[in-house]
Amino acid sequence: MSSSNYKAICQELDTLSRAYLTKLNEYSQQWKETGGQFQKGFLNLAHAKYTMGARTVSHFSYDERMKAILQIEIDDQSIMHTKTIAPPVKPKPALDEKKDGLRKRNVHEPEKKKNSEWVAVEEKPQDDKDDIELDEKKNKKKIKKSGDPLHWFGLFVSPSLRTSQEHFKSATEQLVAQVNRIHELEAMEKRYHQLQEEKLAIKLQETVLQPQEDVAA
């Protein structure tokens, strides 16, 4: 029974060793690729500062309201996952229903007041009299908010800055993958030491039993 367990442990050790070396090779190759992504990102960032201005592409163009579009989530097994955050979309306000008996019509605004709009509200006749209510409304421009941090540096940013963002985003995702590989390597090392202890225990047990059998013989 012990010999079969010993053989199974040796086979698992061999399989685990090959898997560990393969994972370690992936870990080393990934560092080279991640380093290349960082190098390209900083190179494009330097070009963007040259074309847009060093002061524009700096901390003077944004404040604490800037939010990251890439977040990291950790599951129950301590494995990290990247998640891209989309900008929040505000629901459009519902239009108020028109009251019965009211009819709105637009009246041409005077030339002097260009920023106002006169709306005439005509009600149903009451006691043979018409009441007209004039409301002044100011024109407001709708500003669309975007969650992309690049918009803090201008509406039309340099293509180099956008390319730099893609390189840094890719490098961040690769770093998360590297952290997961480190956890896998640590788990393999822990399992390897456990198998080594089991193998040593079986060896010691066989060494102790063999002299007893010789004495009994």
Side-chain angles (χ1 to χ4, degrees), residues 136-187:
E136 183 179 3
K137 296 181 179 180
K138 295 182 179 180
N139 296 327
K140 296 181 180 180
K141 295 181 180 180
K142 295 181 179 180
I143 302 175
K144 295 183 179 180
K145 295 183 179 180
S146 175
D148 193 351
L150 291 183
H151 291 174
W152 283 83
F153 304 100
L155 184 59
F156 299 102
V157 298
S158 172
S160 300
L161 186 61
R162 195 172 300 278
T163 305
S164 176
Q165 181 193 37
E166 293 297 329
H167 285 303
F168 284 122
K169 181 180 178 182
S170 178
T172 304
E173 293 175 348
Q174 292 175 4
L175 288 177
V176 172
Q178 286 291 77
V179 173
N180 292 332
R181 285 192 181 92
I182 291 175
H183 287 304
E184 293 178 3
L185 290 172
E186 290 176 349

Side-chain angles (χ1 to χ4, degrees), residues 15 20 34 56 73-74 90 92 108 110 121 123 128 134 139 143 155 159 170 173 176 211-212:
T15 304
Y20 183 86
T34 304
T56 302
E73 295 180 350
I74 303 177
K90 294 184 178 180
K92 295 182 179 180
H108 295 289
V121 181
E123 299 180 354
D128 298 333
L134 298 178
N139 296 327
I143 302 175
L155 184 59
S170 178
E173 293 175 348
V176 172
Q212 293 179 356

Side-chain angles (χ1 to χ4, degrees), residues 208-217:
V208 172
L209 291 177
Q210 187 173 0
Q212 293 179 356
E213 292 177 356
D214 295 340
V215 171

Side-chain angles (χ1 to χ4, degrees), residues 24-188:
L24 188 61
N25 184 40
E26 294 177 359
Y27 178 78
S28 302
Q29 294 296 329
Q30 188 65 67
W31 272 126
K32 295 180 181 179
E33 185 177 351
T34 304
Q37 291 290 343
F38 274 115
Q39 184 177 3
K40 293 177 182 178
F42 282 114
L43 183 62
N44 283 276
L45 182 61
H47 185 267
K49 286 185 176 181
Y50 176 77
T51 56
M52 298 177 62
R55 186 176 179 84
T56 302
V57 187
S58 66
H59 64 278
F60 296 106
S61 298
Y62 62 90
D63 53 23
E64 66 277 0
R65 291 175 296 174
M66 177 186 285
K67 302 298 180 182
I69 60 176
L70 191 67
Q71 291 186 357
I72 298 175
E73 295 180 350
I74 303 177
D75 57 15
D76 298 335
Q77 299 179 355
S78 299
I79 299 177
M80 295 184 178
H81 305 277
T82 57
K83 180 181 179 181
T84 303
I85 304 300
V89 179
K90 294 184 178 180
K92 295 182 179 180
L95 297 176
D96 296 336
E97 296 181 356
K98 294 182 179 180
K99 297 181 180 180
D100 296 334
L102 294 180
R103 181 167 55 89
K104 296 183 180 180
R105 59 186 178 85
N106 294 330
V107 179
H108 295 289
E109 59 183 358
E111 295 181 356
K112 294 182 180 180
K113 297 183 179 181
K114 296 182 179 180
N115 295 327
S116 63
E117 180 180 1
W118 294 90
V119 179
V121 181
E122 183 178 356
E123 299 180 354
K124 284 186 176 181
Q126 296 178 357
D127 298 334
D128 298 333
K129 292 182 180 180
D130 295 336
D131 296 332
I132 300 177
E133 181 182 358
L134 298 178
D135 295 330
E136 183 179 3
K137 296 181 179 180
K138 295 182 179 180
N139 296 327
K140 296 181 180 180
K141 295 181 180 180
K142 295 181 179 180
I143 302 175
K144 295 183 179 180
K145 295 183 179 180
S146 175
D148 193 351
L150 291 183
H151 291 174
W152 283 83
F153 304 100
L155 184 59
F156 299 102
V157 298
S158 172
S160 300
L161 186 61
R162 195 172 300 278
T163 305
S164 176
Q165 181 193 37
E166 293 297 329
H167 285 303
F168 284 122
K169 181 180 178 182
S170 178
T172 304
E173 293 175 348
Q174 292 175 4
L175 288 177
V176 172
Q178 286 291 77
V179 173
N180 292 332
R181 285 192 181 92
I182 291 175
H183 287 304
E184 293 178 3
L185 290 172
E186 290 176 349
M188 289 181 179

